[in-house]
Amino acid sequence: MHRGLIPLIHVSLWLLFAQASADLHLCTESDYHFEYTECDVLSSRWRVAVPNKANTCTGLPDPVKGTQCTFSCSEGEFLDMQSQECQKCAAGTYSLGTGVAFDEWDSLPTGFVTHGEVTNGGDSWTDCSNSTWTPKGDYIASNTDECTALLSYAVSLKEPGTVSFEYFYEESSIHFEFFIQNDQCQSTDSENRWMKTSEKNWSKYKVELNKGNNVLYWRTTAYTLPADTVKPVLLRNVAISGVAYTSECFRCKPGTHSAKAGSARCAPCPAGTYSTKGATVCHQCEPDKYAEAGSGSCKPRPACTNSDYFYTHTPCDSEGKTQLMYKWIEPKICNETIEGAVTLPASGEKHTCPPCNPGFFVSNSSTCQPCTNGLYSNGTACAQCAVGTEPVVGFEYKWWNTMPSNMKSSIFSRELRGSEHRVAWEVAGEYIYTTPGDQDTDYLMLMLNVPGYRLPQSLAKDSESSELSRITFVFETMCTAECKLFFLAGYNQWNNVVVEQWKGSSSKQSYSYLIQSNSTVGFTWTFQRTEEFNIERKYSGDIAKIYAIHITNVVGGVASQCRRCAMSSDEACVPCPPGHYMVNRTGFCKRCSENTIIRPEQPFGEDACISCGPNTRRNKAYSACLSDCTLDVQSRGGAHLHYDFSPLANVTGFHSSPRFTNKGLKYLQSFNVALCGKEGRMPATCVDNATGTGKEVKGYVCQSTVVPSEIRSQSVVSSQPFLIGDSLVGVTTDTTLSSISSPDWLFPSTSMLPDVIFYYKSSETTQTCKQGRSAAIRLRCDPALTAKYHITLPRNCSEGTCDGCVFHLLWQSQHACPLCTRSHYREIVSACIQGIQKTTYVWQQPLQCYGGVSLPAQKVSACVSLDFWLKFGVTTGIIAAVLLISVSCYFWKKTRKLQYKYSKLMMSSGGQECELPTADSCAIMEGEDAEDDLMDLTKKSFFTKIKSFSRERSSDGFDSVPLKSSSSRLQQDDEDSDEA
């Protein structure tokens, strides 16, 4: 039974299928398309028909043998799958043949992937999700923050091919690299992966690809902080060849066209024309409309305004005349015939041309020609430098009737295209100024090329102490919007670095930049009116003016004056000997006073001599003041302190505390310090290894920004180096020196020992620091600190500076202490024990010295015991007591006798007041012996005095005191004569 059902089921299914097939129509060419199967081991494949929609038709063509896997079509051709032969693309379309192209970036094309990565290794708090490449219509732009933005595209090539693209990369503070990984995950050569910066227009890049799978990577990383000043990398017109074929041609996008069949690419429409998609020709705009190059439509011409024309000065004619002339901005897009439009002003009257620029002379054709070597000029005629002088060679531009031959200008429009059709800066007699651009966001660039630099003969012998070159320019900006003027230095032929920038209106001022390397080959001034894109030109009246540009010591330059110098025996021009200055440019040299250096910018007159600061000495070349790392100061207590900082003389580097950007990227401020030392010392050096320029600065103190990175297998990347101090001002304990202040509150201290402060100054000036940067490094004694390099920054100014100009550092070390002397220790003497006494030496506390003299060893000496001195003292005391008692008795007895005499005198007066006894009696009472105890002025012996003290009293109870009067003497004399 089951065997009979099986055939019946098959028959039923066949009938159902036949009925279903009968309901479907036969497939036509519009119902299916052809594809190739995968290549087999024999490199062969089959062409099969694939329905566009399932179950819509029946009767598909049978598979047929396809072309060989190595088959491909040429540019401008496509593969016709019906005939399996290459055919030319029709007009209005294009094809790369064996490739694909991406020239429209309204959105990210299929196959492209972009994402952001953390630069410093994956900090969890860093958000780089939005740091990607962004489509902008005609191009795609990179990120501008500190994250890494990666753009990738994977392609499988059937044969070796190429990839080409255009990019605009003007910001050297961004790393821009392109590399490829193949099937074996092998990257391209690391030397070729780093893109060169663009000079002014889009740069083209092309590299070969290997057969098989290839992944293309475009990666950017910004290192300049803050990131809002960074300009993105722009990418467009990516084309890849090496795919087997393309089965269709692509229609030209609006604004482009292909006039003939078999085109490999579409050409842009010129200005004043437009085209739609798939156009074969460009159509002319109507007279009242206009279109920029590559436009897909025309726009009405606006009424002409004062911003649609500019003024210039014509070159001097054969009569030496020039005039002010007005010109429409080309291409002209405004209409001067409609209501409210302005017309072009008439040209001014002719007037006499100004003189040529210094170093040039007026030729017979009324043009300015440079003076030859050895000649100089003030702008009229060339003259020979006098004997004993040399020409001061350079370029000085202060008259602008024509654009100098080594200068040119151009416009770059980021939103549109590079504008090569006209200049961006126009001459105007006394200055050069910016003309209106196509858009307010255009970059108006003025470029000056320099072949090289060479010191003059009088300075070449002392090249180390002389500046190589200096560029100075006078400028002014007048803006109603937030305009920007950038000054860039070109360190090689493809890399420009922003040196300084000014925002908004700036009054007329001068800026000077020191050139330190012959690799600086050019300078660029770039003016942008606003960063806000707007179709209408609202700020065309915002302009930048440059009045004068002066650059010194230029190879191939001209001379505006001659430098007088001392003369040798062969009348060759030589400089004054070291330590001498030239007297009033006479060629005679005079010695400067002791411990002075020569001012490099003015080696003439007495003002050329500059005294060295406190505790510094000049070098042999009289070009700088040095410290030999020793110092003698007087302390607050009057003690003499001697310092030796030689252990701290080596170049020292340290980092500030970590800081973080808004994105979470960690960065640090790195300082290098060369504190002191004799001639030939190693200077502190800060290098820029981020931009590839190799720029470095050298001096006493320098700073750079350090960002942790894994780029180029480096642990950190250093950028933005600058000098804080290239000359030593002085070394002192004072908190102010030469207008540089280091207040005590920055680094509070409880020690009575003063800090020693090294003051440094830099000759480089900036817009903020018009007097240049400076540094004050405090050395503080800490004998317990064994670490040699313990340097900190002020707590109130974590960057090391509070105003951006004066930097403050505190260096604590035991080597910052004064050398120890005898006054820094004291002696302790022990008691005399058994005839022995010990003397021990200890340091005064708190200890405020290091090194110097050492503590003396303990001394042991003989001594006398305390018992001997006690016996000697008792004996001496007894003798002194006896003598004291004897003398006291003597004076007591004498006082009693005087009291008696006084009483006798009072009694003899008879009780009458104011009367004294007669002279004959002398107050001697009857019964007294006038001769007893006669007191006179004769000297008596000690024993005689003792005897008189022991006399008995008289009967009346008083002591008998004999007094000799004049009458008694006479009576005595009479008695003596009678006896005779």
Side-chain angles (χ1 to χ4, degrees):
M1 180 177 179
H2 292 287
R3 292 180 180 177
L5 287 176
I6 292 176
L8 182 59
I9 292 174
H10 286 174
V11 171
S12 299
L13 292 176
W14 181 85
L15 290 175
L16 291 173
F17 176 76
Q19 181 66 31
S21 299
D23 294 339
L24 299 178
H25 67 275
L26 292 176
C27 293
T28 61
E29 292 184 359
S30 62
D31 294 324
Y32 62 89
H33 65 277
F34 292 109
E35 291 184 3
Y36 281 125
T37 62
E38 291 291 335
C39 295
D40 56 22
V41 294
L42 299 177
S43 297
S44 61
R45 54 188 173 183
W46 291 82
R47 187 199 70 177
V48 297
V50 179
N52 296 330
K53 293 183 180 180
N55 301 325
T56 57
C57 65
T58 186
L60 291 173
D62 295 331
V64 298
K65 191 172 181 61
T67 60
Q68 292 294 318
C69 291
T70 57
F71 174 84
S72 62
C73 292
S74 302
E75 290 184 343
E77 297 179 342
F78 71 100
L79 178 63
D80 183 1
M81 295 295 289
Q82 183 68 37
S83 62
Q84 297 194 70
E85 293 180 354
C86 295
Q87 297 190 16
K88 290 185 177 181
C89 292
T93 63
Y94 73 98
S95 168
L96 299 178
T98 59
V100 292
F102 305 94
D103 54 6
E104 294 185 65
W105 300 90
D106 295 325
S107 60
L108 198 64
T110 303
F112 280 88
V113 178
T114 179
H115 63 276
E117 297 177 349
V118 179
T119 300
N120 60 344
D123 293 335
S124 58
W125 57 83
T126 303
D127 182 13
C128 291
S129 59
N130 295 325
S131 301
T132 59
W133 290 74
T134 307
K136 297 288 186 179
D138 289 337
Y139 56 85
I140 185 171
S142 72
N143 66 321
T144 57
D145 55 21
E146 60 271 21
C147 295
T148 297
L150 191 66
L151 177 69
S152 62
Y153 180 76
V155 62
S156 178
L157 302 184
K158 301 301 181 183
E159 61 182 16
T162 61
V163 57
S164 62
F165 55 87
E166 296 180 6
Y167 68 91
F168 189 82
Y169 169 37
E170 64 173 337
E171 186 64 69
S172 59
S173 57
I174 289 184
H175 279 306
F176 176 38
E177 57 180 326
F178 170 72
F179 58 95
I180 306 163
Q181 286 187 339
N182 54 22
D183 289 335
Q184 291 77 33
C185 294
Q186 296 174 344
S187 298
T188 54
D189 187 0
S190 60
E191 295 182 359
N192 299 326
R193 66 192 295 175
W194 303 99
M195 298 291 100
K196 299 177 181 179
T197 55
S198 308
E199 293 185 5
K200 62 173 183 176
N201 297 317
W202 290 85
S203 301
K204 296 182 180 179
Y205 186 80
K206 186 176 182 179
V207 66
E208 295 183 355
L209 299 177
N210 296 328
K211 178 182 177 181
N213 294 324
N214 291 268
V215 184
L216 315 180
Y217 293 96
W218 294 267
R219 182 165 64 185
T220 59
T221 303
Y223 283 102
T224 298
L225 303 173
D228 56 1
T229 63
V230 178
K231 300 169 186 174
V233 177
L234 310 182
L235 182 67
R236 71 180 185 184
N237 294 339
V238 179
I240 304 171
S241 65
V243 297
Y245 62 90
T246 177
S247 58
E248 61 177 338
C249 296
F250 302 97
R251 299 175 66 188
C252 295
K253 67 178 182 177
T256 64
H257 73 289
S258 61
K260 58 182 181 179
S263 297
R265 57 191 56 85
C266 298
C269 291
T273 63
Y274 73 98
S275 69
T276 57
K277 193 166 186 176
T280 58
V281 294
C282 296
H283 304 284
Q284 191 72 32
C285 292
E286 297 177 5
D288 60 342
K289 295 183 178 181
Y290 76 98
E292 292 94 355
S295 296
S297 62
C298 296
K299 295 178 286 187
R301 292 181 180 272
C304 291
T305 65
N306 294 332
S307 300
D308 292 306
Y309 64 84
F310 64 95
Y311 59 92
T312 183
H313 276 257
T314 61
C316 294
D317 57 19
S318 58
E319 298 178 354
K321 300 288 186 178
T322 183
Q323 68 178 147
L324 184 69
M325 181 176 290
Y326 295 90
K327 295 181 179 180
W328 292 113
I329 296 173
E330 296 295 339
K332 181 184 175 184
I333 63 173
C334 67
N335 190 343
E336 57 182 314
T337 61
I338 62 178
E339 184 180 357
V342 300
T343 58
L344 194 67
S347 299
E349 296 182 357
K350 288 189 176 182
H351 58 272
T352 304
C353 290
C356 296
N357 282 311
F360 292 80
F361 71 97
V362 181
S363 65
N364 294 333
S365 60
S366 298
T367 60
C368 294
Q369 299 292 331
C371 296
T372 57
N373 293 336
L375 302 178
Y376 73 99
S377 168
N378 61 358
T380 54
C382 299
Q384 183 71 42
C385 286
V387 177
T389 64
E390 60 180 345
V392 181
V393 178
F395 284 117
E396 184 177 0
Y397 303 117
K398 60 181 181 179
W399 300 109
W400 303 92
N401 274 68
T402 58
M403 184 72 73
S405 59
N406 60 343
M407 297 182 69
K408 60 181 179 179
S409 68
S410 64
I411 299 177
F412 170 73
S413 179
R414 177 177 294 172
E415 287 77 15
L416 300 175
R417 292 171 176 84
S419 300
E420 301 180 358
H421 53 273
R422 60 186 177 86
V423 297
W425 293 70
E426 190 62 56
V427 295
E430 295 182 352
Y431 55 84
I432 183 173
Y433 76 102
T434 54
T435 61
D438 291 333
Q439 302 293 335
D440 290 337
T441 54
D442 289 348
Y443 291 95
L444 311 178
M445 297 183 292
L446 175 68
M447 290 153 284
L448 168 64
N449 294 321
V450 182
Y453 313 93
R454 182 174 56 237
L455 288 172
Q457 178 183 350
S458 61
L459 300 177
K461 295 181 180 179
D462 192 20
S463 59
E464 294 184 358
S465 61
S466 302
E467 64 181 31
L468 180 61
S469 179
R470 183 183 294 270
I471 183 171
T472 304
F473 59 92
V474 180
F475 71 97
E476 179 184 19
T477 58
M478 294 173 286
C479 304
T480 57
E482 190 68 18
C483 64
K484 291 183 180 180
L485 176 64
F486 301 90
F487 175 60
L488 302 90
Y491 292 101
N492 48 51
Q493 55 184 327
W494 60 76
N495 199 343
N496 290 328
V497 174
V498 176
V499 175
E500 192 63 84
Q501 61 175 306
W502 297 266
K503 295 182 180 180
S505 297
S506 300
S507 59
K508 190 175 180 180
Q509 58 186 281
S510 175
Y511 178 79
S512 182
Y513 174 70
L514 182 64
I515 304 167
Q516 298 178 326
S517 172
N518 250 320
S519 62
T520 308
V521 295
F523 304 93
T524 303
W525 293 264
T526 301
F527 181 72
Q528 185 186 34
R529 292 181 170 89
T530 181
E531 291 184 345
E532 298 179 2
F533 179 75
N534 195 310
I535 299 298
E536 299 179 359
R537 290 183 299 186
K538 299 171 56 179
Y539 308 109
S540 299
D542 295 359
I543 61 173
K545 295 181 179 180
I546 294 180
Y547 293 89
I549 299 176
H550 184 205
I551 182 170
T552 62
N553 303 337
V554 179
V555 174
V558 294
S560 59
Q561 59 180 340
C562 296
R563 177 188 289 109
R564 181 175 293 277
C565 51
M567 297 187 54
S568 63
S569 58
D570 58 356
E571 297 186 353
C573 183
V574 296
C576 289
H580 293 70
Y581 65 94
M582 190 174 296
V583 180
N584 298 327
R585 300 179 182 268
T586 59
F588 297 100
C589 299
K590 186 175 181 180
R591 180 182 292 276
C592 289
S593 59
E594 185 66 21
N595 201 31
T596 58
I597 61 175
I598 302 297
R599 191 190 304 270
E601 67 274 10
Q602 183 186 348
F604 309 102
E606 295 183 359
D607 294 339
C609 302
I610 307 174
S611 298
C612 286
N615 300 302
T616 62
R617 301 294 298 175
R618 61 162 179 82
N619 61 355
K620 295 180 180 179
Y622 290 82
S623 59
C625 299
L626 307 176
S627 169
D628 61 357
C629 299
T630 61
L631 180 67
D632 292 300
V633 298
Q634 202 79 12
S635 69
R636 298 169 186 172
H640 182 75
L641 305 177
H642 180 72
Y643 292 85
D644 185 2
F645 304 119
S646 299
L648 309 178
N650 295 332
V651 177
T652 305
F654 74 100
H655 294 164
S656 66
S657 57
R659 300 178 64 84
F660 298 89
T661 64
N662 294 334
K663 291 286 186 177
L665 174 65
K666 181 174 69 174
Y667 69 96
L668 309 95
Q669 301 296 345
S670 175
F671 295 85
N672 283 338
V673 178
L675 185 68
C676 56
K678 300 181 179 179
E679 295 189 61
R681 71 192 186 285
M682 290 294 295
T685 305
C686 294
V687 182
D688 183 355
N689 63 3
T691 61
T693 62
K695 177 186 176 182
E696 64 179 18
V697 294
K698 296 182 178 181
Y700 280 99
V701 189
C702 63
Q703 179 192 316
S704 60
T705 301
V706 173
V707 180
S709 174
E710 295 180 353
I711 298 295
R712 299 180 182 176
S713 301
Q714 296 180 355
S715 58
V716 295
V717 171
S718 174
S719 64
Q720 300 174 293
F722 62 86
L723 269 178
I724 299 176
D726 55 15
S727 61
L728 178 61
V729 178
V731 185
T732 178
T733 57
D734 297 335
T735 57
T736 301
L737 180 64
S738 298
S739 72
I740 307 174
S741 179
S742 177
D744 292 330
W745 57 264
L746 286 174
F747 303 102
S749 174
T750 58
S751 174
M752 295 298 295
L753 193 67
D755 294 337
V756 177
I757 308 175
F758 282 72
Y759 291 93
Y760 305 93
K761 191 172 184 62
S762 172
S763 58
E764 292 185 359
T765 60
T766 63
Q767 183 181 11
T768 305
C769 308
K770 299 185 183 301
Q771 303 299 323
R773 299 184 178 93
S774 57
I777 302 181
R778 282 178 171 262
L779 270 65
R780 180 168 294 173
C781 171
D782 190 348
L785 190 61
T786 57
K788 185 182 295 185
Y789 308 127
H790 183 71
I791 305 178
T792 56
L793 302 175
R795 292 184 177 179
N796 298 335
C797 311
S798 58
E799 298 283 351
T801 176
C802 301
D803 58 2
C805 298
V806 183
F807 289 76
H808 305 275
L809 292 80
L810 175 63
W811 193 337
Q812 296 174 275
S813 173
Q814 58 187 2
H815 300 290
C817 298
L819 298 180
C820 295
T821 62
R822 293 177 57 89
S823 61
H824 288 96
Y825 62 82
R826 60 187 178 90
E827 62 180 20
I828 299 176
V829 181
S830 65
C832 185
I833 302 174
Q834 297 180 354
I836 297 176
Q837 190 175 49
K838 296 180 180 180
T839 303
T840 305
Y841 299 89
V842 295
W843 294 112
Q844 298 278 8
Q845 295 299 324
L847 180 62
Q848 292 184 329
C849 68
Y850 182 80
V853 300
S854 303
L855 279 177
Q858 188 183 60
K859 293 195 305 184
V860 178
S861 58
C863 61
V864 181
S865 63
L866 181 61
D867 294 341
F868 170 80
W869 292 109
L870 182 61
K871 295 177 181 178
F872 176 78
V874 171
T875 303
T876 305
I878 294 173
I879 296 174
V882 171
L883 291 176
L884 181 61
I885 294 173
S886 301
V887 172
S888 300
C889 293
Y890 167 75
F891 284 105
W892 178 80
K893 190 71 174 178
K894 188 173 184 64
T895 302
R896 294 298 299 251
K897 287 181 178 181
L898 289 175
Q899 290 177 350
Y900 169 74
K901 291 178 181 180
Y902 178 75
S903 300
K904 297 290 288 181
L905 287 174
M906 292 299 296
M907 293 175 61
S908 62
S909 64
Q912 297 179 1
E913 295 182 358
C914 302
E915 289 187 5
L916 294 175
T918 61
D920 292 338
S921 65
C922 291
I924 300 176
M925 298 180 65
E926 294 181 2
E928 288 184 332
D929 188 359
E931 297 297 329
D932 290 342
D933 296 332
L934 182 62
M935 303 292 292
D936 55 17
L937 299 177
T938 60
K939 186 177 180 181
K940 296 182 180 181
S941 65
F942 174 78
F943 294 102
T944 304
K945 293 177 181 181
I946 296 299
K947 181 179 178 180
S948 64
F949 289 154
S950 60
R951 285 184 167 223
E952 296 181 358
R953 293 176 181 267
S954 58
S955 58
D956 56 2
F958 293 95
D959 292 335
S960 175
V961 180
L963 296 175
K964 289 185 178 183
S965 64
S966 57
S967 58
S968 61
R969 288 193 182 95
L970 292 174
Q971 186 179 359
Q972 183 66 34
D973 292 340
D974 293 341
E975 292 178 357
D976 292 339
S977 61
D978 294 340
E979 291 179 358

